[in-house]
Amino acid sequence: MIRVNSQKTPFTFESVERESGLRTALAMSRADIIGEIGACNLRGRGGAGFPTGTKWNLAAAARVKAGGTKYVVCNADEGEPGTFKDRVILSGHADLVFEGMTIGARAIGATLGIVYLRSEYVYLRPHLEQVLATRRENRLLGTDIGGLAGFTFDIHIHMGAGAYVCGEETALIESLEGHRGEPRNRPPFPVDTGFNRQPTVVNNVETFAWVACILSRSANWFKAVGTATSTGYKLFSVSGDCREPGVYEFPLGLTVAELLEKVGGQDAKAVQVGGASGHCIPASEFGRRIAFEDVSTGGSVIVFGPGRDMLAVARNFMEFFVEESCGQCTPCRAGNAKLLEGVEMLQRGECSMQYVQELLGLGETMQLASKCGLGQSSPNAFVSIVKHFKDEVMGRTSAH
Ligand SMILES: Cc1cc2nc3c(=O)[nH]c(=O)nc-3n(C[C@H](O)[C@H](O)[C@H](O)COP(=O)(O)O)c2cc1C
Ligand code: SF4
């Protein structure tokens, strides 16, 4: 269920007329479709917040190599701890996601779309295949889509195999090609050299759903809410110590405090915004805005009540990263293990204040020197918990 908590505009995906976005797009030039997505400044809903119009422009301009084709990939890996909004979108609004992918294909000139589906969501596959089959019957996929001569596009589903790092777009592409899911060096970027070395757009499930809504309702409609640099609505997966966990829709720019009030988590001690790789926000900073320019997130919000042991929280996250690091680069492979070891030492009362400082330095090195977003962001939770819960952490250090 999507709980709608937008005060200004009571919008939900349910209220958008199906296929009206695609109809509009098919009557437009490719450049105008991308122009509309750029005009509302839609930013990717998968976490990094990259402008979707810019990504699509680059892919549209990129040249196909040796008789290949361009690709549109929907990132449905949803592996970030605390995130479950894409599962809800795919369960209830798969047609909107496929519509957005078809609009993307038209915009960049792709002929094949692939949904990279988290392995645990295999139970959703029959439903998704059914929606795709109906779209083929209705000529919303296949050849001459929507009566537009020459517009050929179809969508396949590819199951992931259960690795968090495969949500990173270049590891995802490696996995699609049948290789180990290890991130690639960049550049070249997927928009130029992606799946099968061809131009590829990778976008999050929610991003595609909003694309369909924007083409249906207009760029002005979308950018009328949110902040100047974080426009529109966002879905949030809220879990933890609150009265009403669930998937919520809010305009970007609301404060952490406003969100907590809606979900019944006013007595929270801290909120982890952005999942395990995000930041731990203490109560003194609940006035901060959830937006790409302040506290940014792909949608995961985990609430920690007054009784939570923040070192236990840090340990939980570090265990996750040690398990999920692909091991390709040393700062991440060794760094996460060192940070976990440090947290365990703190829990046993065997870690000195000086060693905590060294671990913070190690965290900085990992942020700077790791090859992909996993290692660059994995120290965030540890660093922010040490910074904001100094008394709780330093109170457990040893003299030596
Ligand atoms: C370790 C790691 C895991 C990621 N997992 C996901 C994921 O599950 N879903 C997702 O959409 N993006 C994920 N991303 C971000 C993708 O690399 C990419 O930025 C995103 O799919 C682009 O889509 P967007 O621009 O629509 O957000 C992950 C990134 C990293 C570094
Ligand atoms: S940062 Fe971690 S997950 Fe990313 S490439 Fe390096 S070892 Fe692999």
Side-chain angles (χ1 to χ4, degrees), residues 197-380:
R197 305 280 147 182
Q198 299 292 349
T200 303
V201 151
V202 181
N203 276 124
N204 174 253
V205 170
E206 185 187 342
T207 310
F208 282 120
W210 287 123
V211 161
C213 298
I214 291 161
L215 267 295
S216 170
R217 293 274 179 88
S218 84
N220 283 337
W221 160 79
F222 191 73
K223 70 178 184 189
V225 298
T227 71
T229 48
S230 301
T231 52
Y233 304 91
K234 174 89 193 79
L235 297 200
F236 295 90
S237 321
V238 183
S239 63
D241 303 323
C242 59
R243 267 198 321 280
E244 294 186 65
V247 175
Y248 288 77
E249 177 194 299
F250 296 115
L252 282 168
L254 86 162
T255 63
V256 176
E258 283 164 347
L259 185 145
L260 286 171
E261 199 191 319
K262 303 282 185 195
V263 306
Q266 292 94 325
D267 65 344
K269 166 184 186 177
V271 181
Q272 181 78 14
V273 184
S277 57
H279 290 272
C280 193
I281 309 295
S284 58
E285 295 187 7
F286 284 174
R288 289 179 66 182
R289 296 197 177 277
I290 303 180
F292 297 110
E293 65 273 24
D294 192 352
V295 182
S296 91
T297 175
S300 168
V301 175
I302 307 172
V303 184
F304 297 117
R308 289 282 162 186
D309 171 352
M310 296 313 288
L311 261 188
V313 170
R315 178 176 179 159
N316 195 301
F317 287 147
M318 291 323 304
E319 281 174 346
F320 172 76
F321 287 121
V322 168
E323 179 78 22
E324 297 296 338
S325 166
C326 84
Q328 248 193 109
C329 64
T330 311
C332 172
R333 184 184 62 243
N336 282 311
K338 276 284 169 204
L339 291 185
L340 173 61
E341 191 185 87
V343 174
E344 289 168 344
M345 286 165 66
L346 272 163
Q347 285 184 316
R348 292 194 303 269
E350 293 170 3
C351 183
S352 67
M353 278 196 193
Q354 192 193 331
Y355 193 59
V356 174
Q357 294 304 332
E358 284 175 27
L359 291 174
L360 291 175
L362 171 64
E364 248 173 63
T365 305
M366 292 166 66
Q367 284 162 338
L368 290 170
S370 292
K371 177 171 168 176
C372 86
L374 191 152
Q376 287 158 8
S377 60
S378 60
N380 289 351

